[in-house]
Amino acid sequence: MSKPHTVESLFDALWVDYQNQCPSATAIHALLSGGEAIVNDHVAFRTFNLPEVGLDKLAAHFLALGYEPKGEYRFEQKKLAARHFEHPNPTAPKVFISELQVQECSPELQDIVKAMVAQVPAGATETPDFLYSGAPWKVSKAQYDALLKESEYAAWLAAFGYRANHFTVDVNALNGFETLESVNQALKDAGFELNSSGGEIKGSAEVLLEQSSTLADKVAVTFTDERVVIPSCFYEFALRYPKADGHLYTGFVAASADKIFESTDAR
Ligand code: NI
């Protein structure tokens, strides 16, 4: 039995795993922090909406730590549904969990995904370690390619499984950066590539949230029959604006999140 997590120890464990998939996050963290601590705006997870591994299975670990369900989001074209969670302690990262609506996908995709999920050991999702355990299934390169044709999201999940898809820097809490433009410029000056789908900055002051992200790093993944280098995880940056009541907006903007998903697209 592993020791029960606190909010802090869970995010520490997620961060350790995430940096292995996104080595540039370590360098960016150092670049932006100026030696100070960096506050995480949110951490995102992906899953399939099958009962064995659905959003609720992942969310249960955060609810157990005091998180509360907040906004719900739909991404029709990508066939995704999502929900975000907040902790009463406002410095705890928000959690954004999405799930692919498998029943809306082709029979071919459904067959592959169901065969993957059938490999998840009984009870595996019950332990919080599941949140950073990687892919609990074996897939072939051909299956990955078949998923990729229909859903970049499904292909990413097949390859990388359960772990932070991205961490997000709280730009409001950064010393030395007033705007998201200045963060983006510092990243580009240091040689990092940004996701430009929908523009480098998604959202605006009008919708109370601006977001940008790097393009995912690439790492080697071992499929059952082949080892390939593919896009893994990315780093996101969020600047929030105050609502009419003076408190910062804490929700998400579906049109922006839709483009952020594309940070892991094959290229
Ligand atoms: Ni995000």
Side-chain angles (χ1 to χ4, degrees):
M1 276 296 284
S2 54
K3 225 168 54 170
H5 272 298
T6 61
V7 171
E8 199 181 15
S9 72
L10 176 56
F11 284 98
D12 284 350
L14 288 162
W15 174 250
V16 167
D17 170 75
Y18 165 74
Q19 288 178 99
N20 291 329
Q21 307 302 324
C22 187
S24 63
T26 312
I28 292 171
H29 196 271
L31 175 75
L32 298 182
S33 72
E36 305 283 318
I38 281 192
V39 178
N40 294 309
D41 179 87
H42 68 273
V43 176
F45 298 88
R46 297 179 173 185
T47 192
F48 300 111
N49 75 335
L50 300 178
E52 298 88 338
V53 293
L55 189 159
D56 292 339
K57 292 279 188 195
L58 306 192
H61 299 297
F62 294 100
L63 298 179
L65 291 172
Y67 274 82
E68 295 161 4
K70 298 287 178 177
E72 292 187 280
Y73 312 89
R74 282 288 307 195
F75 306 90
E76 297 299 337
Q77 220 177 0
K78 292 185 173 70
K79 302 187 168 78
L80 302 173
R83 181 139 216 190
H84 98 263
F85 300 81
E86 294 178 25
H87 196 273
N89 171 0
T91 66
K94 290 174 269 295
V95 172
F96 186 93
I97 308 176
S98 56
E99 57 178 8
L100 183 67
Q101 307 298 291
V102 175
Q103 78 287 355
E104 296 177 13
C105 300
S106 72
E108 292 75 19
L109 181 145
Q110 294 193 34
D111 286 349
I112 296 171
V113 167
K114 284 174 184 166
M116 284 161 47
V117 169
Q119 298 173 48
V120 178
T125 61
E126 307 300 319
T127 149
D129 306 12
F130 184 72
L131 294 171
Y132 48 93
S133 61
W137 43 62
K138 300 247 177 283
V139 279
S140 68
K141 175 64 165 39
Q143 287 173 316
Y144 172 80
D145 288 338
L147 294 174
L148 195 55
K149 272 193 213 136
E150 182 170 345
S151 166
E152 301 253 18
Y153 180 104
W156 185 92
L157 191 48
F160 295 99
Y162 298 96
R163 53 173 31 113
N165 169 265
H166 60 272
F167 269 70
T168 308
V169 173
D170 175 350
V171 174
N172 297 72
L174 279 184
N175 289 320
F177 295 94
E178 294 299 318
T179 64
L180 191 54
E181 284 88 348
S182 63
V183 170
N184 288 349
Q185 194 58 53
L187 294 169
K188 288 187 285 184
D189 289 348
F192 296 103
E193 276 188 280
L194 297 181
N195 168 1
S196 58
S197 176
E200 280 180 2
I201 295 184
K202 289 82 165 132
S204 63
E206 285 68 40
V207 296
L208 306 180
L209 175 60
E210 291 179 356
Q211 292 164 277
S212 63
S213 62
T214 62
L215 285 175
D217 281 0
K218 288 185 175 177
V219 302
V221 170
T222 305
F223 293 105
T224 52
D225 49 352
E226 211 180 315
R227 189 166 163 85
V228 257
V229 175
I230 53 173
S232 51
C233 300
F234 62 92
Y235 212 177
E236 189 187 317
F237 315 92
L239 180 69
R240 295 182 179 274
Y241 289 85
K243 299 176 289 182
D245 67 5
H247 293 286
L248 290 181
Y249 177 64
T250 59
F252 291 82
V253 176
S256 302
D258 188 74
K259 300 296 181 196
I260 294 279
F261 279 120
E262 295 170 17
S263 306
T264 55
D265 280 5
R267 58 185 197 275

